[in-house]
């Protein structure tokens, strides 16, 4: 893999900017220096409806009033929030070493990000993390921000009105009708929610992850040893958040990991997660047994100083659990899990992630990097779901959660993987129990293994279900899963699939306002407001394109029919006649109808009884045939 | 819409033939004159595994030994089965009238199918339907055929062995380890299953629909008033079954309905369903109020003589229920439901489908056309799910089911539609209760309304769930739903999505052998048998294409790595090392490891207790701060 960096690694990344169709970015100001975005989708005047407010993850890229300069990065407003509450120091920070970029140099080295910011770190004896502030009863600006954000600009009154028609089955989640900063603080203090927000990620628009909030999604990007460039990855990040990714993980491997990540972080308004062991492995040239705690520790600090918001750490893969995977169909499929398994086998020692866990906590606390406790023994096949190895690790993760909390850190827990539908809920229930309700963050799960090329769907099914049951964040799967690296189109399909799965979960949990967007789409459909239907869609471009493939003319977008039934007969039109008819009924006529309906339903029951009384004999009877009652 | 028929309407339809990759068609012969197909997928010799048997819906089109001539249609073997059991007569049959093709003539009229077969019909006082035979204790050839087909060529012993490692939650379904003809007969006699098999559809390869069998899927095709041709529809049918559609509904509207359907039926090895009211409406030039019972009756006979296997009949939409839809967000969205609503409102009379229901049964019995009792009041928006209108109709459908059974007919029941996840199971439970366990046949349901362009996925989620809960057949939804007419690519995506949803349901129900294909894929993945992974996939072409986009070289298909991690580090490779290590353990070492694992898990519990005993205090304590216990 000794090829030069792609030419594009030396160019300014091109990213997609500009608002989505019919959309405006609107800011709420819960505090004078906080501008919390949501998106409003304007409807056609004939709708006579207010704009529809939707959650907006796209950052300044969709705000035409902001000048985007990828060479400078986004505005770093959040640095002031951190500095003003104190307890941190600015320092020189670690300098980039050649091994941080896999030893790439000359034409192999991707261009450094042009600006260098000196990092901050927390001081001993001071509160730094959101968990620490929350436990101490302090409401931070991040908490105020996410509370406003979850409400999507709605005022309390509106929220209450909307809530009256929501229903759902929440499986023990408690979603309030209106999110207050105090509710956010309490959820964080209890460990049930986190705000991934490294104090060095000053470009961040904070966001909350917990089962009493909107279900979030994560998109994975990252170059690999085999293919892809810095420019592509920055573009993918901006592209992923444009379509709704709440979080992005940079899973880069190979060379140029440090520089790629710097470009991503400086341009990312969403939390960025990583798996630090991937970079540590590159530093020892891919030889797992050469990993050391010191190299790993140095990598944590390197990434924490850059501003990574959460680290996946596979500290629950213990030496004693490795043999439990031997009879699996697909063994250990987590990269991090297998790296550590290999290290432990080579040294016959307990994982340094486990033995040094408290030191890891101390580092992560200083920067408020959240834990994403990795499931290194997750099943890679439905055959391996819910086995002893997986659950042994989950129990250990539960214990480590409590250690991390005791150290003041924010924690979420990663989950499977490949799980058939009937084994999904057990995962959720066990996770809540073992991990003290710390947020669950699952990959899918994939509900069958037989559809490579469609694993965004096999997993979207599992994701919607486990999101309903209580998972706080769903890690997307793209159509390329198991087959190749996702390109831009795959990223979009993965994000939209997971947005719809997360939304289906919000609806089913009974989130008080989730249905507002569904109902707006449905009304637009009923009224033949085609443009509104496109604009309200998760993916307006695809919706419009699909319509135009059949009926391309502009006139068809105002036509009161569609390609399914054609202009002569239309079921939606007939419903309007039903409405007119019903509206024209007198009270007497209406009462009479109700009586008839009741009689129809009762008559049915009577007829049924009569039939059964006759022995449920079938109509036809040939001589000699045995008549059987209908069971 | 007075445009000439497309030129292709006069050409021989082109269809896709030839086997799927690495696949052979294998026939079992439970009786000398029955050849029951399944597909076997050969694996690479290095796998040292037998071929994987999968259900095969593709008919003779994938058998290289059969010469396909679309002008002649498929072989009509099944005619002999019908004739040899007697009770039917051949007769001249109805002659095609101009209105059967919407009055199209000259260059507007699509070419007639070149061969005309005289129809059969049942005689009074004789058994004709599978239900009648089953009730009388008679096992038909169709029953023998479907029993063998469900077993996919497996012998009892193999089946039993495989069953030992299946598990699942079946919600009251009783899926035997091995399907016998007697089991099939009993399921049909109880009304829990149907074999849609018009005696005039002699080209049919029979198939069973019921919740104690593999979950089936249906693909909708059909030209419309606005677009598409005969050739396209025949091609779509062959294309849909190639990818796994168990049933196809021809929902054609506009002109040339009769001729289009004839081409489809004569070339279809799968059951074809229709909604006869669509054609009846064309016969009255699209004016619903001009419909009459006589026109509808004539249409039923026309289609029954052609060999349509099941009719969607919206007889549960009663006059007294119409006003219940007035306050819905999207009113009545079923075409059939709204046609009947319009008719009833215009005449202020009960639906002729309801008042003439027994006569409809008499006609359908004569040809063994199965009922698919349509849900004309199904919700068209999640907001309208499970409302009074929907459930009033479902109760009426339950009653009609018993009437149809009493008349000797086979029956299934159609279901929603748009239903958020938390309201899905109620639908299934109520359907089982109201309709005496007659098979449920649902459209999706879509679990959210906000993703037009992705409704194969919003509905695939609901389909997998309701299939798990007990739905016997899932009607596919394509990406074009709500937006346009599906083309060939959409049909494929819809079919594959629903195949994976149905399979996920089979797995979760605990179908005894469903996991065999999953496990074969997983083993292929683990062994880096890329070709096997592609060939075992529901869509081998897409899987291969996605792989090749990242790693196009042939050498990469035998490489022991993939594009995700690259050649240097590979988690699957490390698992092999874990296996070698575990296999090399002595008994003592292994016992020791078990002890350590137990200690690790117990130690965790102890540490946790210790932490809680200390009051769950967090590590950091600044003077003056209140320490809170961790809840």
């Amino acid at each position: 893999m000794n090829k030069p960096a792609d030419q594009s690694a030396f160019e300014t990344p091109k990213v997609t900017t500009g608002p989505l169709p019919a959309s405006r970015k609107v800011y709420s100001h819960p505090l004078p220096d906080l501008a919390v975005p949501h998106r409003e989708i304007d409807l056609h005047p004939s709708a006579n409806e207010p704009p529809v407010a939707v959650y907006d993850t796209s950052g300044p890229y969709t705000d035409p009033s902001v000048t985007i300069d990828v060479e400078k990065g986004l505005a770093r407003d959040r640095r002031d929030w951190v500095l003003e509450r104190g307890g941190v120091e600015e320092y020189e920070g670690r300098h980039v070493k050649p091994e941080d970029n896999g030893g790439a140099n000359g034409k192999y080295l991707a261009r450094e990000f042009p600006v260098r910011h000196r990092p901050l770190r927390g001081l001993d004896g001071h509160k730094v993390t959101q968990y620490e502030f929350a436990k101490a009863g302090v409401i931070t600006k991040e908490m105020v921000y996410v509370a406003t954000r979850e409400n999507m600009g709605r005022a309390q009154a509106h929220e209450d009105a909307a809530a009256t028609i929501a229903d759902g089955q929440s499986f023990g989640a408690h979603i309030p009708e209106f999110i207050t900063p105090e509710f956010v603080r309490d959820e964080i203090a209890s460990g049930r929610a986190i705000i991934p927000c490294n104090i060095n990620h000053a470009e961040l628009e904070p966001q909350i992850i917990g089962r009493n909030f909107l279900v979030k999604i994560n998109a994975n990007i990252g170059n690999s040893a085999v293919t892809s460039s810095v420019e592509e990855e920055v573009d993918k990040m901006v592209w992923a958040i444009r379509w709704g990714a709440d979080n992005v993980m940079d899973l880069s491997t190979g060379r140029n990991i440090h520089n790629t990540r710097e470009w991503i972080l400086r341009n990312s308004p969403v939390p960025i997660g990583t798996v630090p062991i991937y970079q540590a492995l590159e530093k020892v040239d891919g030889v797992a047994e050469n990993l050391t705690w010191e190299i790993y520790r140095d990598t944590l600090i390197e990434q924490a100083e850059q501003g990574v918001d959460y680290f996946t750490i596979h500290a629950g893969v213990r030496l004693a659990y490795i043999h439990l995977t031997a009879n699996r169909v697909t063994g250990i499929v987590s990269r991090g899990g297998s790296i550590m398994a290999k290290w432990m086998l080579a040294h016959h020692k307990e994982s340094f992630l486990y033995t040094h866990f408290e030191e890891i906590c101390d580092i992560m606390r200083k920067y408020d990097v959240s834990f994403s406790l990795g499931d290194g023994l997750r099943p890679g096949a439905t055959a391996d779901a819910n086995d002893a190895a997986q659950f042994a690790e989950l129990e250990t993760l539960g214990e480590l959660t409590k250690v991390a909390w005791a150290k003041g850190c924010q924690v979420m827990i990663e989950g499977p993987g490949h799980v058939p539908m009937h084994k999904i809920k057990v995962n959720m229930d066990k996770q809540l129990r073992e991990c003290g309700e710390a947020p669950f963050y699952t990959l899918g799960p994939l509900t069958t293994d037989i559809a490579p090329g469609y694993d965004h769907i096999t997993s979207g099914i599992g994701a919607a279900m486990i999101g309903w049951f209580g998972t706080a964040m769903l890690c997307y799967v793209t159509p390329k899963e198991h087959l190749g690296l996702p390109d831009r189109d795959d990223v979009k399909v993965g994000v939209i699939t997971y947005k719809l799965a997360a939304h289906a979960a919000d609806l089913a949990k009974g989130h008080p306002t989730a249905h507002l967007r569904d109902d707006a789409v449905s009304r637009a459909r009923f009224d033949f407001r085609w443009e509104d239907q496109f604009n309200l869609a998760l993916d307006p471009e695809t919706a419009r394109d699909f319509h135009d493939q059949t009926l391309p003319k502009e006139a068809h977008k105002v036509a009161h029919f569609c390609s399914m039934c054609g202009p002569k007969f239309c079921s939606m039109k007939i419903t309007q006649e039903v409405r007119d008819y019903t509206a024209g009924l007198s009270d007497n006529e209406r009462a009479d109808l109700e009586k008839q309906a009741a009689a129809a339903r009762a008559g049915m029951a009577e007829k049924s009884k009569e039939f059964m009384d006759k022995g449920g004999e079938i109509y036809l009877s040939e001589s000699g045939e045995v008549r059987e009652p209908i069971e």
Side-chain angles (χ1 to χ4, degrees), chain A residues 466-488:
Chain A
I466 205 162
W468 176 24
F469 300 150
T471 287
M473 181 153 77
L474 307 171
C475 182
Y476 88 170
V477 170
T478 78
K480 289 278 172 62
E481 184 76 12
H482 298 119
L483 298 169
L485 282 177
D487 62 19
R488 216 166 176 266

Side-chain angles (χ1 to χ4, degrees), chain A residues 191 321 373 388 390-403 405 411 413-414 426-440:
Chain A
Y321 304 155
L373 287 172
Q390 184 195 333
F391 283 165
E393 182 186 28
L394 182 54
E395 290 165 25
T396 299
L397 296 183
E399 185 49 35
L400 295 174
T401 299
K402 286 158 195 121
V403 175
W405 282 343
V411 187
I413 312 292
E414 296 185 12
V426 172
N427 276 275
M428 187 70 233
D429 295 344
K430 185 172 175 74
Q431 189 273 341
L432 288 172
R433 195 169 58 244
E434 300 289 346
C435 304
E437 298 189 61
F440 206 22

Side-chain angles (χ1 to χ4, degrees), chain A residues 18-20 23-28 35-41 52-64 145 148-153 204-207 214 216 238-247 269-271 499 517 538:
Chain A
L20 288 169
S23 295
R24 286 171 296 107
K25 187 164 297 248
V26 178
Y27 295 96
S28 306
V36 184
H38 69 274
R39 176 160 69 100
E40 292 199 346
I41 304 169
V52 176
V54 300
Y55 198 93
D56 185 359
T57 58
S58 62
Y61 299 99
T62 53
D63 184 344
Y145 190 103
T148 302
R149 194 171 194 185
E150 289 281 315
N151 294 323
M152 286 182 263
L204 183 71
E205 297 177 354
Q207 159 245 174
L214 290 161
K216 304 302 187 295
V238 175
W239 186 242
I241 65 177
R242 182 175 181 83
W243 299 112
D246 297 283
N247 288 264
V270 303
K499 284 300 278 186
R517 188 172 184 177
L538 284 179

Side-chain angles (χ1 to χ4, degrees), chain A residues 201 237 248-250 264-265 268 270-274 307-310:
Chain A
H201 190 187
M237 179 275 290
V248 168
M249 287 193 80
D250 173 13
I264 292 171
L265 272 162
S268 175
V270 303
I272 298 295
T274 63
V308 173
D309 300 285
Y310 55 98

Side-chain angles (χ1 to χ4, degrees), chain A residues 195-440:
Chain A
I195 300 177
C197 56
N198 185 320
I199 56 174
N200 289 313
H201 190 187
E203 301 82 359
L204 183 71
E205 297 177 354
Q207 159 245 174
I208 191 158
I209 299 170
R211 76 173 165 137
N212 294 328
F213 301 93
L214 290 161
V215 175
K216 304 302 187 295
I217 69 164
N218 174 75
N220 292 331
I221 61 168
N223 67 3
S224 90
V226 179
T227 178
S228 85
S229 72
V230 171
E231 184 182 45
E232 269 179 72
E233 298 315 312
V234 174
D235 174 51
K236 270 189 209 164
M237 179 275 290
V238 175
W239 186 242
I241 65 177
R242 182 175 181 83
W243 299 112
D246 297 283
N247 288 264
V248 168
M249 287 193 80
D250 173 13
L251 303 184
S252 291
T253 58
R255 289 164 185 268
N256 292 315
I257 294 183
H258 183 97
N259 286 3
T260 302
R261 188 171 52 232
E262 187 72 19
W263 280 94
I264 292 171
L265 272 162
R266 297 291 73 81
N267 285 289
S268 175
V270 303
I272 298 295
T274 63
V275 188
I277 200 86
Y278 290 2
Q279 190 182 12
L281 186 71
E282 298 295 338
K283 292 180 181 179
V284 293
D285 205 30
V287 183
E289 48 272 41
N290 291 351
L291 281 166
T292 64
W293 160 241
E294 288 69 28
I295 290 168
Y296 186 77
R297 182 180 179 285
D298 187 52
T299 305
L300 293 182
I301 292 169
E302 171 190 351
Q303 298 197 10
E305 288 181 351
Q306 284 185 290
V308 173
D309 300 285
Y310 55 98
F311 288 157
T312 293
I313 298 191
H314 300 95
V317 183
R318 297 195 59 182
L319 180 60
Y321 304 155
I322 293 177
H323 75 288
L324 299 175
T325 67
N327 292 326
R328 282 180 160 187
V329 172
T330 56
I332 302 177
V333 294
S334 148
R335 268 194 106 220
S338 53
I339 292 166
M340 292 315 300
K342 177 143 186 166
W343 187 91
M344 286 185 270
L345 290 188
H347 297 279
H348 280 274
K349 275 167 70 175
E350 186 61 86
S351 157
F352 59 79
L353 300 179
Y354 184 82
T355 56
H356 289 272
F357 190 74
E358 298 202 11
E359 289 163 81
I360 294 172
C361 293
D362 290 337
I363 295 166
M364 288 171 69
R365 188 199 76 85
K366 272 194 204 309
Y367 303 88
D368 200 4
V369 181
S370 296
F371 274 98
S372 186
L373 287 172
D375 53 336
L377 302 182
R378 69 169 176 268
T382 51
D384 296 337
N386 296 13
D387 71 354
Q390 184 195 333
F391 283 165
E393 182 186 28
L394 182 54
E395 290 165 25
T396 299
L397 296 183
E399 185 49 35
L400 295 174
T401 299
K402 286 158 195 121
V403 175
W405 282 343
K407 288 284 194 177
C409 295
Q410 302 192 87
V411 187
M412 61 181 169
I413 312 292
E414 296 185 12
H418 293 239
V419 186
M421 284 191 284
H422 64 293
K423 292 186 175 175
I424 291 177
K425 192 155 186 301
V426 172
N427 276 275
M428 187 70 233
D429 295 344
K430 185 172 175 74
Q431 189 273 341
L432 288 172
R433 195 169 58 244
E434 300 289 346
C435 304
E437 298 189 61
F440 206 22

